[in-house]
Amino acid sequence: MKIGVDIMGGDYAPESIVLGAIEARKELSSDQTIVLIGDQAQAHKIIQEAGENPDNFQFVHTTETISMGEHPTKAITHKPNSSISVGFQLLKEGELDSFSSAGNTGAMLVGAMFSVKNIEGVSRPAIATNIPKEKSGYGILLDVGANADCKAETLLQFAILGSLFIEHIYQVENPKVGLLNLGEEEEKGNNLTHAAFPLLKEKESLNFVGNIEGRDLFNDRADVMVCDGFVGNIVLKLAESFHELVEKRNFKDEFFDRFNYEQYGGSPILGVNAPVIIGHGISSPRAVKNMILLSRLMIESNITDKIRSAFN
């Protein structure tokens, strides 16, 4: 198993990324290798200063970086030697089993679609994120930013992708799917949710529980919460602010602690032909460690093959 990590992406790269990789390496078996993609000299220095052995990692050297503010498509096209572009090329060639980065989100999405491409039958990949549940554990919300405008058929695909992910990654049996809406009644919503509701209801493989409201995000009404990327991204940013607010007020509570993105590390792009994870731009070593461990879990679960089977 080879887990690829872009060490040049993120606000605190490369130090934060490399330190996170060091911590993740301690939990991997001998046949599981982290491949660090970026400036090898900088990575060696950080690893040695941490008292670790660079020989515990593989390196792919490149010094070119796609910054956060660059146009995703232009950057991927014009910077073939950037750490993100090289990572996706290795993933496409089968030299990596997964690839993750805390860098430019748009470049990660474009890179995934240009390199390993969508799984046949999946019209639009989705970015999924964890939503903490009040009693315990997490549900997942998708899409949270890849697709601001969606068709009803796309929301149906998101429901399938999310159900497979939470079933095989978090071991949730027969996950409940809810359509995020402004009311529980079937007739509520806009044109998109009106069109999506019957498609979700008629899909026999889904455990569709109907419309859910914003107040249902944190209860057990649904395990998989489906919406377009415009709504999902607003919900995600609001949820992230909860943790910041309670931290500022020195308020300690287990439920609000689970809003901390560091606990799950990153957001997978679901619907492409290999495990790809986008980390938060401000990823700490702890977040990077958990991003790498999620990569391992996605590889071990064969989630890509399971999605492929569901759409073919």
Side-chain angles (χ1 to χ4, degrees), residues 245-253 256-257:
L245 289 169
V246 297
E247 284 246 304
K248 287 179 180 177
R249 287 158 174 75
N250 295 316
F251 178 71
K252 291 296 179 183
D253 181 88
F256 287 107
D257 285 345

Side-chain angles (χ1 to χ4, degrees), residues 6-299:
D6 165 27
I7 66 169
M8 308 304 287
D11 294 351
Y12 307 117
E15 184 175 18
S16 182
I17 313 300
V18 175
L19 291 177
I22 291 171
E23 291 306 307
R25 182 70 193 86
K26 297 172 183 177
E27 298 193 24
L28 302 182
S29 60
S30 59
D31 62 344
Q32 297 169 339
T33 302
I34 299 175
V35 181
L36 302 179
I37 303 162
D39 191 314
Q40 185 170 345
Q42 288 191 60
H44 267 251
K45 183 173 183 289
I46 295 165
I47 293 168
Q48 289 169 337
E49 288 177 350
E52 301 292 333
N53 186 351
D55 292 340
N56 290 332
F57 301 89
Q58 287 188 14
F59 300 90
V60 175
H61 179 69
T62 178
T63 57
E64 200 169 19
T65 304
I66 295 175
S67 67
M68 292 294 193
E70 290 188 70
H71 187 280
T73 305
K74 289 181 180 178
I76 288 289
T77 304
H78 297 153
K79 289 187 171 181
N81 295 316
S82 67
S83 50
I84 287 179
S85 298
V86 170
F88 277 118
Q89 185 62 33
L90 293 170
L91 189 65
K92 178 183 178 181
E93 294 170 354
E95 296 297 318
L96 298 176
D97 296 301
S98 69
F99 179 57
S100 59
S101 173
N104 186 307
T105 297
M108 286 294 289
L109 187 63
V110 170
M113 295 174 70
F114 278 14
S115 61
V116 293
K117 304 188 183 316
N118 297 5
I119 288 172
E120 186 176 354
V122 175
S123 60
R124 304 290 294 272
I127 301 174
T129 194
N130 284 15
I131 296 292
K133 293 298 186 177
E134 186 177 5
K135 291 182 179 178
S136 65
Y138 293 93
I140 65 164
L141 175 72
L142 70 168
D143 176 47
V144 294
N147 307 279
D149 296 300
C150 293
K151 296 179 180 179
E153 293 79 9
T154 313
L155 294 190
L156 173 62
Q157 292 192 351
F158 292 170
I160 297 169
L161 292 170
S163 294
L164 290 167
F165 181 83
I166 201 166
E167 178 182 355
H168 295 290
I169 300 299
Y170 292 149
Q171 307 303 312
V172 177
E173 293 186 13
N174 195 27
K176 296 172 288 187
V177 176
L179 177 62
L180 190 57
N181 208 333
L182 47 75
E184 294 182 1
E185 298 82 5
E186 184 172 347
E187 64 274 10
K188 289 290 182 70
N190 55 17
N191 290 338
L192 175 61
T193 58
H194 286 162
F197 191 101
L199 297 181
L200 293 164
K201 186 178 181 179
E202 292 163 10
K203 187 68 174 178
E204 293 183 0
S205 63
L206 292 177
N207 181 13
F208 182 54
V209 297
N211 288 327
I212 60 170
E213 299 179 88
R215 60 187 173 189
D216 295 316
L217 287 171
F218 310 120
N219 61 33
D220 293 329
R221 180 83 190 279
D223 304 300
V224 179
M225 293 152 282
V226 176
C227 60
D228 62 57
F230 185 89
V231 172
N233 192 264
I234 291 172
V235 172
L236 170 62
K237 299 294 171 59
L238 175 65
E240 286 181 344
S241 72
F242 290 166
H243 182 257
E244 297 173 11
L245 289 169
V246 297
E247 284 246 304
K248 287 179 180 177
R249 287 158 174 75
N250 295 316
F251 178 71
K252 291 296 179 183
D253 181 88
E254 187 274 337
F255 171 66
F256 287 107
D257 285 345
R258 284 187 280 120
F259 279 89
N260 186 352
Y261 75 96
E262 294 178 322
Q263 294 204 14
Y264 51 89
S267 298
I269 301 177
L270 300 180
V272 295
N273 280 294
V276 177
I277 300 176
I278 301 172
H280 205 296
I282 58 170
S283 285
S284 64
R286 181 189 177 199
V288 173
K289 169 192 168 183
N290 287 324
M291 181 171 67
I292 292 171
L293 295 180
L294 176 58
S295 299
R296 177 183 67 174
L297 189 55
M298 290 182 69
I299 297 167

